[in-house]
Amino acid sequence: MREIVIISGKGGTGKTSISASFAAISGQSLLVDCDVDGADLHLVLEPAVQESHSFYGLPLPKIDPETCRRCGACQRVCRCDAIEKRPGGYWIDPLACERCGACVDLCPRNSIHMEESISGEWYRSETRLGPMLHARLEPGAENSGKLVTQIRQEARKVAEARAIQTILVDGPPGIGCPVIAVLSGASAAFIVTEPTVSGLHDLRRITEVAARFRVQAMILINKADLNEAFTKQVEEYARQDGLALLGRVPYDHAFVEAQLAGQTLPEHTEGPASDAIRAAWHRLETLLPADQ
Amino acid sequence: MIIAFASGKGGTGKTTVSTNLAWVLGQSQLVQYVDCDVEEPNGHLFLHPEIREANPVTIPVPEVDQESCTHCGACSQACRFHAIAVAPAFTLTFPELCHGCGLCSQVCPTGAIREVPRPVGVVESGRSGELSFLQGRMNVGESMSPPVIRSAKKDLSPAALAILDAPPGTSCPASTAITGADLVVVVGEPTRFGLHDLSLAVELIRGMGLQMGVVINRADWGDDQLERYLEQESIPMLGRLPHDRRIAETASQGVLAAQVYPEIHGQFIQLADSIMAAVRQ
Amino acid sequence: MRVAISAVGATPTSQVDPRLGRAHYLMIYDTASDSWESIDNQKNIGAPGGAGIAVAEMLAQKHVTRVLTGACGPKALQALTAAKIQVEENVNGTVTEALRRFLTANRSTVDSAE
């Protein structure tokens, strides 16, 4: 079984559009939307939810107003500035709290306790392109990677049960917790980049993360004709770092049109962009065959 | 005064818009550009600042004096992140898992734990022409951006108008960046993904009780659903920027389109006026 | 000598769990008393990080000196090494089969440890 994680470093390079396109081209794959903070894959795949589950993030401390003596020890101990003094007593801001539990353990009156906290939901669904695991995090929730890890685990179970050899993961942007969680144990990192100064800057950072976590990285240059000079720079960077360059996809309004039509690009139209994505997929298959 | 630029979805043009806007505003008032997208800070690629100061951001992590340690395990039991493990003869720490809360050193009965600073990022400051420049950058391989974001925000200049570039998304890095803003400008795009992610950003910002407005970028590449959503939700539309290949090309090179094209300069002046009017309300 | 084996179920006939930190159960075999203990590890399955460290600590507290599993992460390995616990990876089959192979290969060490 191979698990291909599609990431980008910089947001907006076309990661989700490419993931969806790959699902359409591959024919037999399981999709996982691990961009739990801004999940978009479902907008194109229209999943029929089969199961939904609450996701429990790290438990959140709660101050019991009845036993609290307003000594302020919790506020002094908190290093996230998450505890505020309010007219009714002290209050813990769930958006700032990192759930370390220092306030719980150091409250002299034992007035603070950890409470289970539902911070999202995850779903197992069916789509026209195969089964899909996806999730939704509550706005402001801590995106520690726990939810990403959970849906990847569930995805592996489903893939094993249904003898599906390919898992395609639409990954999160950035280089933090959720990206590290999504890369752990993946077969390959498929990096979608763009030929811009931001794209190249972020590409360097994300390939370093992939290398650090020992995941084989491959690159696709999206919007490749936007800036030929930068496309060459990306190609040069790939060459120098020994990273496989799987293709160049032209900047095409068809991406937007396909999205508005609720389709993946290959389903919506033929053309240079579609062809380039197909070619990239076939190159990926050569580098990472399904039966290994 | 802080105006934060958020986006829900990555790639809507948040940094392109915020840097061009900062430059335009900087011509008539004291402006500080603050890059809080610490995982992938890109503002500097457009503003080309001269960096004058760089200070490491550190997290206090435990260091155990093995001789004073009695291996009682209190620290390990207290730690919610498994950053400290007690074996019968040795206590091991995992600094990269540590959130720096200090609990282990507090609960240790023999005072065997002291805290030492571990660098996780850097805050850099300087100038870019008329603009004051500040950016937080998280070290590659680190996983937690909020400490770097909080550190950067400590250096906000009280005298200047802060144009703050937040990370994309709606989870803790974004909320840490926008908290305390006088206005959050959400840069959206009128595509399906754009509308969906904008609605998530709206939920976050409303939940935080912050004032917001929307700038629609690439406004003619999509449909009218986004604008209808803004009307339905009574969210102020602060401006529209049409898809302009010149903006994409200059952005791709790290050049401010407003500096090069008078027409685009004009568009950003209009946008600036609209945003300043919104924040004064 | 006490040997721990990561397991999918709570009995010696279960399959070896390929992961250590996020194994469903840990089966601990004591060679001196020829007895099994099963530890439920479900609470670590959803942990974002440090699951392997938590398991390593637990095993050290239970005086385990050998671990058999599919794969063990680098932090868990560090913790196990610090606790002087030896790890054998790429182990599969049922828990009993894995134990039998281990005991056969390590007969002399086991005998001298008694």
Side-chain angles (χ1 to χ4, degrees), chain A residues 122-251:
Chain A
W122 63 270
Y123 316 96
R124 180 182 66 77
S125 302
E126 292 297 326
T127 74
R128 64 183 183 280
L129 299 179
M132 177 168 151
L133 270 294
H134 52 123
R136 202 195 98 94
L137 252 192
E138 292 294 309
E142 38 90 12
N143 197 357
S144 60
K146 188 174 171 187
L147 181 53
V148 163
T149 303
Q150 184 153 9
I151 56 176
R152 280 180 73 205
Q153 279 169 357
E154 295 298 327
R156 276 187 223 118
K157 281 188 212 162
V158 174
E160 265 168 32
R162 290 160 66 157
I164 294 175
Q165 298 280 28
T166 304
I167 299 180
L168 292 170
V169 179
D170 185 10
I175 57 169
C177 286
V179 176
I180 293 170
V182 89
L183 283 175
S184 161
S187 314
F190 187 86
I191 303 172
V192 178
T193 189
E194 57 178 46
T196 64
V197 67
S198 313
L200 187 55
H201 172 270
D202 298 355
L203 174 65
R204 291 197 171 104
R205 284 165 73 81
I206 190 66
T207 50
E208 206 184 315
V209 174
R212 208 179 259 255
F213 291 92
R214 306 193 207 288
V215 180
Q216 175 189 15
M218 309 167 183
I219 301 179
L220 176 85
I221 308 177
N222 198 13
K223 313 178 202 179
D225 54 349
L226 179 63
N227 188 318
E228 287 298 339
F230 267 99
T231 296
K232 286 203 170 55
Q233 281 196 43
V234 175
E235 289 170 359
E236 185 51 37
Y237 173 73
R239 200 177 2 253
Q240 274 172 14
D241 273 45
L243 299 163
L245 179 57
L246 298 195
R248 293 161 204 73
V249 179
Y251 191 46

Side-chain angles (χ1 to χ4, degrees), chain A residues 95-112:
Chain A
L95 291 183
C97 173
E98 284 185 12
R99 281 90 163 139
C100 72
C103 56
V104 172
D105 291 3
L106 297 175
C107 170
R109 306 203 64 86
N110 204 23
S111 297
I112 311 180

Side-chain angles (χ1 to χ4, degrees), chain B residues 117-141:
Chain B
R118 184 176 85 87
V120 294
V122 62
V123 173
E124 293 165 318
S125 59
R127 292 208 72 81
S128 161
E130 300 290 329
L131 297 171
S132 174
F133 180 89
L134 178 65
Q135 96 177 351
R137 176 191 288 271
M138 186 176 83
N139 294 345
V140 171

Side-chain angles (χ1 to χ4, degrees), chain B residues 73 76-77 81-90 92-94 96-97, chain C residues 44 47 49-51 53-54 57 60-61 63 75-76 78-79 82-84:
Chain B
S76 166
Q77 285 198 17
F81 308 108
H82 302 297
I84 190 162
V86 178
F90 195 85
L92 197 54
T93 64
F94 294 93
E96 66 275 25
L97 296 179
Chain C
N44 279 322
I53 298 167
E57 262 190 304
Q61 273 151 23
H63 306 291
K75 293 193 194 73
Q78 251 187 295
K84 302 201 186 353

